[in-house]
Amino acid sequence: MFDARLRATFSGIHLRVGVAFWLFGLINNVLYVIILSAALDLVGPSVPKSLVLLADVIPSFLMKLVAPYFIHLVPYSLRVILFALISSWGMLLIALTPAYTDGGTITTKMTGVILASLSSGAGELSFLGLSHYYGSSSLAAWGSGTGAAGLVGAGAYAIATTTLGLNVKATLLASAFLPVLMLLSFFLVLPKGPLQDKAKVREHEDMPGHGESDDASDREDQGLLSESFDSSVAPKRTSGFATNTPSWRNDLLHSTPFTHYRSFYPTYATIYQIGVFISRSSLPFFRIHRLYPPSFLQGLNLLLLILQALYFFIPSIYIVFAVIFWEGLLGGLVYVNTFAEIRDRVPTEEREFALGATTVSDSGGIMVAGLVGLGVETWLCDWQIKRGIDWCTRL
């Protein structure tokens, strides 16, 4: 069965399609990860890092909530240009604003984060919708690319600022030019045949009298679409919440390989993203159809790490590293298999909309995690300070 699945997945794959969608997933998500990895450097130790998470996800959530109803009116070529311009503008604003220690305002930096978030949210629902025209291999490539974005973004930021000792401004400034790769992928790498076929179909559908007999079948399809949303969106929303809350304040262990407290945050992010990359790249090899069990396990991880931040009962930081890696595996597994289920279960004529609209569930879970985290992070830090541990206030 495994051999048959592997042959079916890789048969007929167009190399340029795979490369293009892998780069779409990488570039569209990498700035989101870099911003989260830089959260401590952007706002300092006295401001909850959940503020950065919220600024990075709320605009994306709102965009995903409303855009599926009108974004189809904007050609994909124009969308990609706008995504690249807006995300680069946001990263330049973040990078060129002085650090909070030099009088820079957090508000200005958060404006840049919001711009990058808007671009990322619209990009995710657009590229997932675009995958409908390029077959299941494009979805697998997209999923792997988004996983690689986490690994590249968190890993590169940690290596640049921790291992190589580069300053934060230079690292963020370099990332502002990454969206150029998105433009090259769309205009030079991606074959345009399926998009041209799509345009011809829509021209036919716009002819007078066409589609009048389809109203009944459309109503029937809405039932299946709603059913698929109910079974796919809920675990994805739960996964988004559990995935993004364990980073609250679990960086307090006595024996660590680090010399600076700020090294914990990007290192945790890198380890988590390694797990995400592996699981989001697993679709050609491994499928799950029951999406709730991984989400439940993520909830257990959340509980474990909150208890660790309170009582420090885990004897080694390497065990914490393993838990965070496991969390990444679970989160990536839910993400990629949710969209695979939609491809399998939603009717073809509704699939482009469904793939894009479902992205709101992930952002919704992350947004809830950020809102809850604003209070819980402060509470955990106060708990530790009252017991003589002030590491959460240091860099």
Side-chain angles (χ1 to χ4, degrees):
M1 180 179 295
F2 177 80
D3 291 341
R5 180 190 297 275
L6 201 60
R7 285 193 297 269
T9 301
F10 286 101
S11 62
I13 286 183
H14 196 298
L15 179 60
R16 289 174 58 188
V17 171
V19 171
F21 274 90
W22 192 88
L23 288 174
F24 290 153
L26 174 70
I27 303 304
N28 189 73
N29 285 36
V30 73
L31 298 184
Y32 167 84
V33 177
I34 289 174
I35 288 170
L36 291 185
S37 299
L40 182 61
D41 297 316
L42 294 180
V43 300
S46 61
V47 178
K49 264 49 70 189
S50 291
L51 176 66
V52 179
L53 176 62
L54 287 174
D56 207 10
V57 73
I58 288 180
S60 176
F61 171 75
L62 295 176
M63 177 63 73
K64 293 174 182 178
L65 194 62
V66 301
Y69 300 99
F70 64 82
I71 202 168
H72 62 279
L73 301 174
V74 183
Y76 278 104
S77 56
L78 180 56
R79 292 190 219 178
V80 173
I81 293 173
L82 291 174
F83 300 157
L85 289 175
I86 294 172
S87 57
S88 291
W89 182 22
M91 292 306 295
L92 287 172
L93 196 59
I94 297 170
L96 297 178
T97 301
Y100 72 96
T101 53
D102 299 326
T105 64
I106 293 178
T107 302
T108 305
K109 289 183 180 294
M110 292 304 101
T111 301
V113 174
I114 289 171
L115 289 173
S117 174
L118 287 171
S119 173
S120 178
E124 184 175 15
L125 67 90
S126 292
F127 291 126
L128 280 167
L130 184 64
S131 71
H132 164 62
Y133 300 100
Y134 288 88
S136 59
S137 62
S138 63
L139 179 59
W142 163 268
S144 178
T146 59
L151 184 58
V152 171
Y157 187 83
I159 292 172
T161 59
T162 302
T163 305
L164 300 180
L166 298 178
N167 62 58
V168 174
K169 178 180 179 179
T171 304
L172 294 176
L173 195 59
S175 68
F177 297 94
L178 290 174
V180 173
L181 292 176
M182 184 186 297
L183 295 174
L184 296 176
S185 300
F186 184 84
F187 290 102
L188 299 182
V189 179
L190 184 68
K192 299 303 186 296
L195 280 180
Q196 293 168 354
D197 294 340
K198 165 200 168 186
K200 293 178 182 178
V201 170
R202 286 195 170 173
E203 286 179 4
H204 174 66
E205 291 176 346
D206 290 339
M207 294 176 61
H210 180 82
E212 294 178 359
S213 62
D214 294 338
D215 292 341
S217 61
D218 286 346
R219 287 190 292 269
E220 293 175 0
D221 291 340
Q222 288 174 2
L224 179 56
L225 180 61
S226 175
E227 178 187 348
S228 299
F229 274 6
D230 290 343
S231 61
S232 299
V233 169
K236 195 167 185 292
R237 185 186 298 116
T238 305
S239 173
F241 173 77
T243 292
N244 285 274
T245 43
S247 61
W248 277 336
R249 274 296 180 188
N250 193 42
D251 55 1
L252 308 180
L253 292 175
H254 295 289
S255 300
T256 74
F258 306 116
T259 56
H260 300 286
Y261 292 108
R262 69 160 300 279
S263 301
F264 284 94
Y265 201 92
T267 301
Y268 282 165
T270 302
I271 293 171
Y272 166 77
Q273 295 296 347
I274 291 173
V276 171
F277 172 65
I278 292 173
S279 57
R280 288 197 182 187
S281 302
S282 67
L283 192 58
F285 314 99
F286 180 74
R287 276 288 303 273
I288 62 170
H289 300 280
R290 295 169 58 86
L291 301 176
Y292 282 102
S295 300
F296 175 75
L297 292 174
Q298 286 183 291
L300 294 181
N301 285 349
L302 169 62
L303 178 61
L304 174 65
L305 293 178
I306 289 179
L307 291 174
Q308 164 62 16
L310 292 173
Y311 302 111
F312 309 111
F313 60 90
I314 297 179
S316 170
I317 193 174
Y318 296 100
I319 298 177
V320 177
F321 287 168
V323 174
I324 292 173
F325 174 74
W326 172 237
E327 177 71 19
L329 286 176
L330 294 172
L333 204 62
V334 172
Y335 178 93
V336 74
N337 280 278
T338 294
F339 293 111
E341 287 294 297
I342 290 173
R343 281 197 60 89
D344 290 346
R345 299 179 58 185
V346 174
T348 302
E349 59 272 19
E350 302 285 356
R351 196 174 297 156
E352 181 183 12
F353 174 82
L355 286 167
T358 306
T359 61
V360 74
S361 62
D362 189 44
S363 294
I366 298 172
M367 185 179 68
V368 172
L371 290 170
V372 175
L374 281 174
V376 174
E377 180 181 358
T378 302
W379 170 67
L380 289 175
C381 191
D382 290 342
W383 169 283
Q384 293 158 0
I385 291 174
K386 289 177 182 178
R387 285 151 183 78
I389 303 172
D390 65 347
W391 295 347
C392 63
T393 64
R394 302 184 190 180
L395 282 176

